[in-house]
């Protein structure tokens, strides 16, 4: 009998444990493989590796791989815990520590290789469908199937290294001194959680203070930099853990003193929760953290789509804007405008011709009130001694201090318009002045042609064609389009949405997988416990009630905490987020609840079935 035969037989004897490990590992590998299929797609070759989008793709790939590393490491630790009794038996029958570690190492490598092969095969099968979905999400013209050689090589190479490294590291947790403990692991009693309500209050106070400083005093945050965020993140994690652990401890004490404690199977449920309070608290904490990231990430990603049109219009207020520089060639300007008119003649559009003068040293624009009214389609009147200050940059208030301005220092401010007048950043501020004063201003004249299209978001192809044909040339012409900006931003948002969706999917699956592993590692102990209780008269229906309530706590309590944290965050940022963000968060929460409820029914059915099996 060879050593490899023992490895195979050991896996077959405990196949259900390894099936869950195999499926979870395979799922992580499939997510990474599909992500790299997109990242290496020929249609994305135009994205520069040093661009924000290219860096985002690279960081997301690293994050998926890092999470896979941590997730698979957790899985191996969970299996080592379940197999402690088997490993202890190997030890006392004469197996050396080297043989035990080799056994565990080969088991993990075998499962890992099988998971990689299965993931690549299954990934190639579903890749065409996945690319079709990605084409819709990314709004790409061509996003067809290709042979993902780079994705296959990278996935196989990285995950082989991952399994080898993790397996080597995890086997270090097995030692000779643990052999006796391994044999007794099924009867080890957990230490109960002690009450630390004062520590909970201190932790909540620190977290609330740091959050308040983040909101009101950016100078303190900037002074401490990354250290502040590390402390803030650590305090949030500690507060969540203390709320879960101390909350369980407190609520169980209250429950045990209530009349409901003596009803039906509530006493057994409370006893079960008390016996496993620490491990339950750790599990609830892990799932809560994962779900909090999923919910917040999903809400932000979905809501970002709703702001693209508004943000594009705030930066570039018009469908097309052509500004001729004072030094521009007249014939070139004439030809460009004729080209624009010809291209836009097939769609419903309005054309405006205005001009403004510019103090080029200070980038201050001066426009007559007549041109301003034409551009804004309104009838504003100014007295001879008045002017209007209009924003030239998005989110920057216009300049109103005109004491040193030669033409305006004797005028008074009539009103301020913080909406961007022309393309953001072209001028710092535009001063709207009476017509006669404008004629007396001696600054270079910028002739501006503005075109506004009806249903402008539907003309992305036209905008792309025009921008390619007449691009901006410094000191000649300045061409901008909110349609082109909208198209570019939608592509970026789509790619970011894809990245976030992949991360959310793997985090969500990890939450369910971690719960499944936890139930697997305690299954044998629970079977023996409930078998003894059933001999005392506990019916299947009563056992089903206890198991259902305990699983509901493990699944829905983290969900409730994560949702509560999401809406607390949204409430704290209510002045900074739109109603759309709130609606999307609410809709995604309902969808996730339905998904969790279905998962709960599936897990409950399978767990109860295995709990009663021989």
């Amino acid at each position: 009998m060879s050593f490899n035969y023992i490895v195979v037989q050991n896996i077959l004897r405990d196949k259900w444990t390894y099936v869950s490990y195999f499926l979870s590992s395979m799922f992580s590998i499939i997510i990474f493989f599909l992500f790299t299929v997109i990242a290496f797609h020929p249609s994305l070759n135009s994205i520069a590796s040093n661009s924000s989008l290219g860096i985002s793709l690279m960081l997301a790939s690293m994050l998926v791989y890092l999470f896979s590393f941590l997730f698979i490491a957790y899985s191996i630790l969970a299996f080592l815990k379940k197999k402690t009794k088997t490993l202890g038996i190997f030890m006392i029958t004469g197996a050396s520590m080297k043989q035990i570690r080799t056994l565990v190492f080969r088991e993990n490598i075998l499962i890992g290789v099988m998971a990689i092969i299965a993931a690549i095969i299954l990934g190639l099968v579903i890749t065409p469908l996945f690319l079709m979905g990605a084409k819709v999400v990314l709004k790409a013209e061509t996003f067809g199937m290709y042979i993902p050689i780079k994705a296959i090589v990278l996935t196989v190479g990285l995950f082989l290294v991952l399994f080898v490294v993790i397996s080597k590291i995890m086997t270090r947790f097995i030692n000779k001194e643990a052999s006796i403990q391994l044999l007794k692991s099924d009867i080890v009693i957990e230490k109960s959680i002690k009450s630390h309500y004062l520590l909970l209050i201190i932790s909540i106070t620190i977290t609330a203070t740091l959050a308040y400083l983040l909101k009101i005093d950016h100078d303190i945050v900037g002074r401490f930099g990354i250290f502040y965020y590390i402390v803030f993140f650590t305090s949030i994690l500690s507060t969540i853990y203390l709320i879960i652990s101390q909350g369980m401890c407190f609520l169980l004490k209250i429950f045990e003193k209530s009349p409901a404690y003596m009803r039906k199977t509530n006493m057994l449920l409370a006893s079960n929760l008390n016996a496993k309070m620490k491990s339950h608290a750790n599990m609830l904490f892990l799932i809560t953290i994962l779900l909090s990231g999923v919910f917040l990430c999903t809400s932000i990603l979905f809501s970002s789509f709703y702001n693209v049109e508004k943000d594009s219009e705030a930066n570039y207020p018009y469908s097309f804007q052509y500004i001729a520089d004072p030094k521009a060639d007249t014939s070139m300007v004439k030809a460009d405008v004729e080209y624009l008119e010809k291209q836009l003649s097939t769609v419903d559009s309005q054309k405006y011709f205005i001009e403004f003068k510019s103090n080029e040293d200070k980038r201050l624009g001066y426009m007559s009130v007549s041109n301003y009214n034409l551009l804004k389609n309104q009838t504003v009147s100014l007295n001879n001694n008045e002017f209007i200050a209009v924003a030239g940059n998005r989110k920057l208030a216009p300049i109103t201090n005109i004491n040193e301005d030669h033409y305006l220092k004797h005028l008074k401010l009539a009103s301020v318009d913080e909406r961007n007048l022309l393309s953001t950043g072209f001028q710092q501020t535009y001063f709207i002045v009476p017509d006669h004063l404008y004629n007396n201003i001696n600054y270079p004249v910028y002739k501006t042609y503005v075109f506004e299209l009806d249903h402008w978001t539907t003309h992305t192809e036209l905008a792309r064609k025009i921008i390619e044909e007449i691009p901006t040339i410094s000191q000649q012409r300045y061409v901008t389009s909110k349609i082109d900006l909208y198209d570019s931003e939608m592509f970026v948002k789509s790619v970011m949405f894809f990245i976030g969706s992949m991360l959310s999917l793997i985090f969500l699956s990890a939450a369910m997988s971690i719960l499944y592993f936890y139930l697997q590692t305690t299954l044998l102990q629970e079977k023996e416990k409930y078998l003894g209780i059933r001999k005392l008269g506990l019916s299947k229906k009563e056992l089903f009630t206890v198991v259902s309530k305990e699983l509901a706590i493990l699944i829905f309590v983290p969900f409730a905490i994560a949702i509560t944290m999401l809406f607390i965050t949204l409430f704290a940022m209510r002045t900074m987020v739109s109603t759309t963000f709130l609606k999307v968060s609410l809709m995604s929460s309902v969808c996730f609840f339905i998904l969790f409820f279905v998962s709960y029914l599936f897990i409950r059915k399978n767990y109860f079935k295995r709990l009663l099996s021989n």
Side-chain angles (χ1 to χ4, degrees):
M1 183 172 64
S2 66
F3 194 81
N4 289 335
Y5 178 80
I6 297 175
V7 171
V8 174
Q9 289 301 311
N10 197 36
I11 293 175
L12 294 175
R13 277 194 301 269
D14 199 9
K15 56 182 176 295
W16 285 111
T17 300
Y18 287 97
V19 163
S20 59
Y21 175 32
F22 167 79
L23 292 176
S24 300
S25 300
M26 185 181 72
F27 184 80
S28 297
I29 299 168
I30 286 176
I31 293 293
F32 181 83
F33 174 70
L34 293 176
F35 191 88
T36 52
V37 166
I38 297 293
F40 289 122
H41 198 282
S43 297
L44 296 182
N45 287 341
S46 59
I47 299 177
S49 59
N50 59 348
S51 66
S52 58
L53 199 54
I55 293 172
S56 297
L57 283 169
M58 181 185 68
L59 290 177
S61 301
M62 293 173 60
L63 186 58
V64 171
Y65 185 72
L66 177 62
F67 182 81
S68 299
F69 184 94
L70 297 175
F71 179 56
I72 293 173
Y74 174 85
S75 303
I76 293 178
L77 281 174
F79 296 138
L80 283 178
K81 182 178 179 181
K82 185 176 181 182
K83 294 180 68 63
T84 49
K85 187 173 182 179
T86 303
L87 296 177
I89 292 173
F90 274 121
M91 289 180 184
I92 64 172
T93 53
S96 65
M97 287 306 303
K98 182 178 180 181
Q99 290 174 320
I100 293 295
R101 286 170 178 161
T102 302
L103 173 69
V104 174
F105 177 79
R106 292 189 182 183
E107 285 178 352
N108 288 320
I109 293 299
L110 180 59
I111 297 297
V113 170
M114 291 171 61
I116 292 172
I117 294 172
I120 296 296
I121 294 173
L122 185 59
L124 289 172
V125 171
I126 65 177
T127 290
L129 293 175
F130 184 72
L131 288 174
M132 289 174 61
K135 179 181 178 180
V136 175
V137 172
L138 299 178
K139 292 180 171 51
E141 295 179 3
T142 56
F143 219 73
M145 182 61 186
Y146 74 108
I147 302 175
I149 301 297
K150 289 183 180 178
I152 294 173
V153 172
L154 183 65
T155 302
V156 172
L158 287 179
F159 277 92
L160 274 177
V161 172
L162 185 148
F163 278 107
V164 170
V165 171
I166 289 180
S167 299
K168 277 290 184 182
I169 293 173
M170 292 301 106
T171 54
R172 298 295 102 186
F173 286 88
I174 306 172
N175 54 65
K176 291 183 179 179
E177 290 75 16
S179 59
I180 297 177
Q181 180 64 32
L182 293 172
L183 287 175
K184 295 181 179 180
S185 62
D186 57 335
I187 58 172
V188 172
I189 299 175
E190 287 187 11
K191 294 181 180 179
S192 60
I193 296 177
K194 296 181 180 179
S195 300
H196 292 292
Y197 301 130
L198 179 60
L199 185 61
L200 173 61
I201 294 172
I202 293 172
S203 181
I204 292 175
T205 303
I206 292 173
T207 302
T209 302
L210 292 172
Y212 187 67
L213 288 175
L214 185 64
K215 184 178 180 181
I216 67 164
D217 199 333
H218 296 289
D219 291 337
I220 293 178
V221 176
R223 196 177 305 129
F224 287 96
I226 190 67
F227 178 74
Y228 176 90
Y229 291 101
I230 292 173
V231 173
F232 184 40
F233 183 70
T234 304
S235 70
I236 291 175
L237 293 181
S238 62
T239 300
I240 294 172
Y241 181 78
L242 287 170
I243 287 174
I244 292 172
S245 59
Q246 297 303 305
M248 283 186 64
C249 184
F250 177 75
L251 291 175
L252 275 174
K253 286 181 180 180
I254 297 296
F255 180 69
E256 288 172 355
K257 295 177 182 179
S258 69
Y261 178 69
M262 302 300 295
R263 295 175 191 163
K264 297 182 180 180
T265 58
N266 288 344
M267 186 186 298
L268 179 58
L269 174 64
S271 175
N272 216 25
L273 292 175
N274 262 317
K276 298 187 292 183
M277 188 185 296
K278 190 170 184 178
S279 59
H280 276 9
N282 294 338
M283 186 55 46
L284 291 173
F285 173 72
L286 280 173
I287 298 176
T288 299
I289 296 302
L290 288 170
L291 294 184
S292 298
V294 170
F295 294 160
L296 189 60
C297 182
T298 304
S299 297
I300 293 172
L301 287 169
F302 274 104
S303 62
S304 64
F305 280 101
Y306 291 88
N307 297 323
V308 175
E309 183 176 338
K310 183 179 177 181
D311 290 343
S312 299
E313 201 155 24
N315 282 292
Y316 297 160
Y318 306 103
S319 300
F320 293 97
Q321 178 183 292
Y322 183 100
I323 300 178
D325 193 273
K327 296 183 284 292
D329 180 41
T330 306
S331 59
M332 180 199 72
V333 174
K334 182 180 179 181
D336 290 342
V337 173
E338 287 177 353
Y339 173 80
L340 276 168
E341 291 175 339
K342 181 180 178 182
Q343 291 297 322
L344 301 178
S345 62
T346 57
V347 298
D348 294 330
S349 62
Q350 298 83 42
K351 175 188 174 183
Y352 305 94
F353 169 71
I354 62 165
E355 64 176 43
F356 65 91
K357 298 176 182 179
S358 174
N359 181 344
E360 295 177 326
D361 294 334
K362 296 183 179 180
R363 290 177 52 245
L364 298 175
Y366 301 82
M367 185 181 295
S368 68
V369 69
S370 298
N371 276 330
Y372 178 68
N373 284 332
L374 177 65
L375 195 60
K376 291 288 189 176
N377 193 22
Q378 59 189 11
T379 54
V380 173
S381 60
L382 287 175
N383 295 325
N384 291 336
N385 63 338
E386 291 180 334
F387 76 97
I388 300 172
V390 184
N393 282 283
R394 187 194 173 196
K395 294 185 177 180
L396 285 179
I399 297 171
T400 56
N401 183 4
I402 44 84
N403 293 331
E404 297 181 1
D405 191 285
H406 175 69
Y407 296 102
L408 305 180
K409 61 183 178 181
H410 299 300
L411 303 184
K412 66 177 182 179
L413 181 65
S415 64
V416 174
D417 187 351
E418 295 189 355
R419 294 172 299 175
N420 205 22
L421 183 60
L422 296 174
S423 296
T424 185
F426 192 74
Q427 300 286 299
Q428 286 193 62
T429 300
Y430 295 91
F431 297 118
I432 312 303
V433 297
D435 290 8
H436 73 277
L437 178 58
Y438 174 79
N439 294 329
N440 295 328
I441 294 175
N442 188 23
Y443 284 131
V445 178
Y446 286 78
K447 294 181 179 180
T448 304
Y449 300 85
V450 171
F451 299 85
E452 185 59 29
L453 276 59
D454 296 337
H455 310 293
W456 59 271
T457 57
T458 61
H459 299 292
T460 53
E461 287 296 325
L462 179 60
R464 195 178 298 123
K465 179 181 179 182
I466 290 174
I467 295 298
E468 288 177 357
E469 186 66 28
I470 49 172
T472 293
I473 302 175
S474 180
Q475 297 186 341
Q476 290 291 320
R477 66 190 179 204
Y478 306 93
V479 186
T480 57
S481 169
K482 67 180 177 183
I483 306 174
D484 186 61
L485 179 62
Y486 169 81
D487 188 34
S488 301
E489 285 297 310
M490 282 299 291
F491 177 74
V492 172
K493 299 292 185 185
S494 298
V495 174
M496 297 304 293
F497 172 74
F498 169 76
I499 294 171
S501 298
M502 291 293 99
L503 296 177
S504 295
L505 185 60
I506 195 171
F507 292 157
L508 190 62
S509 65
M512 291 294 98
S513 297
I514 286 174
L515 176 60
Y516 182 76
F517 295 153
Y518 175 66
L519 296 175
Q520 283 292 316
T521 55
T522 59
L523 181 63
L524 183 60
Q525 183 179 346
E526 292 296 292
K527 285 177 69 172
E528 293 177 358
K529 179 179 71 177
Y530 284 120
L531 180 62
I533 296 175
R534 286 192 64 198
K535 290 178 180 179
L536 299 176
L538 184 73
S539 66
K540 285 186 178 181
K541 183 178 179 181
E542 290 172 325
L543 174 59
F544 183 77
T545 301
V546 174
V547 171
S548 298
K549 290 179 179 179
E550 189 170 357
L551 287 177
I553 290 172
L554 289 174
I555 291 177
F556 292 113
V557 168
F559 180 88
I561 295 173
I563 289 294
T564 302
M565 288 173 57
L566 172 64
F567 283 98
I568 287 175
T569 304
L570 295 179
F571 178 77
M573 300 172 61
R574 61 189 181 279
T575 58
M576 302 164 57
V577 299
S578 63
T579 53
T580 302
F581 190 92
L582 297 174
K583 291 178 182 177
V584 170
S585 299
L586 186 61
M587 286 167 39
S588 62
S589 301
V590 172
C591 293
F592 277 121
F593 178 79
I594 295 172
L595 179 62
F596 264 66
F597 186 74
V598 173
S599 300
Y600 165 70
L601 296 177
F602 176 77
I603 292 174
R604 183 182 66 174
K605 179 181 178 181
N606 284 273
Y607 182 69
F608 187 72
K609 182 179 179 181
R610 295 203 59 200
L611 201 60
L612 296 179
S613 64
N614 296 324

